[in-house]
């Protein structure tokens, strides 16, 4: 999936070789982005990247600092929808398991 460099985040994986305007290789497919690489890409004039998936698989909303309160708020408009309630229950379960795992570290 192509994304704007402004939406790139550390941990995303490059899905295609990234070339500069002259066709020279900047980053190989499979490279994991870091904050420093994103800054360098910006300096080199790269405006768009092709990343694996939608770029969000490894960064769940809870891990990105939204927290359960934020998710509850975002889901508030769909209360009563059975499918959305199931999704929210799964998110709660995931958050509880992730919290337990981190507490054991």
């Amino acid at each position: 999936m192509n994304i704007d460099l402004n939406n790139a985040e550390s941990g995303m994986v490059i899905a295609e070789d990234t070339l500069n305007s002259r066709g020279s290789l900047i980053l190989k497919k499979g490279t994991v982005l870091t904050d420093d690489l994103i800054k360098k890409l910006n300096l080199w004039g790269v405006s768009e990247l092709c990343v694996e998936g939608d770029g969000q698989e490894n960064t769940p909303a809870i891990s990105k600092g939204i927290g359960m309160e934020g998710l509850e708020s975002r889901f508030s408009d769909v209360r009563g929808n059975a499918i959305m309630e199931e999704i929210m229950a799964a998110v709660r379960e995931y958050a509880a398991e992730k919290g337990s795992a981190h507490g054991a570290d």
Side-chain angles (χ1 to χ4, degrees):
M1 158 179 247
N2 284 338
I3 63 165
D4 187 279
L5 185 63
N6 294 325
N7 295 324
E9 296 180 13
S10 183
M12 290 181 170
V13 179
I14 301 297
E16 296 178 2
D17 289 346
T18 303
L19 309 175
N20 67 14
S21 60
R22 294 186 210 143
S24 298
L25 180 67
I26 296 175
L27 295 176
K28 287 185 177 185
K29 175 182 176 177
T31 299
V32 178
L33 288 177
T34 63
D35 290 335
D36 286 338
L37 279 176
I38 294 168
K39 289 176 188 174
K40 287 178 183 177
L41 289 168
N42 191 35
L43 290 173
W44 295 331
V46 174
S47 61
E48 194 173 85
L49 293 172
C50 185
V51 295
E52 291 182 359
D54 65 4
Q56 301 297 316
E57 290 87 7
N58 297 320
T59 53
I62 294 171
S63 299
K64 294 170 80 174
I66 293 173
M68 283 305 298
E69 288 180 14
L71 284 173
E72 293 281 351
S73 173
R74 290 180 183 198
F75 274 78
S76 65
D77 290 346
V78 293
R79 300 245 187 263
N81 179 316
I83 293 171
M84 296 307 285
E85 291 290 340
E86 285 184 44
I87 291 170
M88 194 63 203
V91 169
R92 283 188 198 102
E93 182 178 329
Y94 170 81
E97 289 174 8
K98 188 166 178 85
S100 297
H102 284 281
D105 289 347

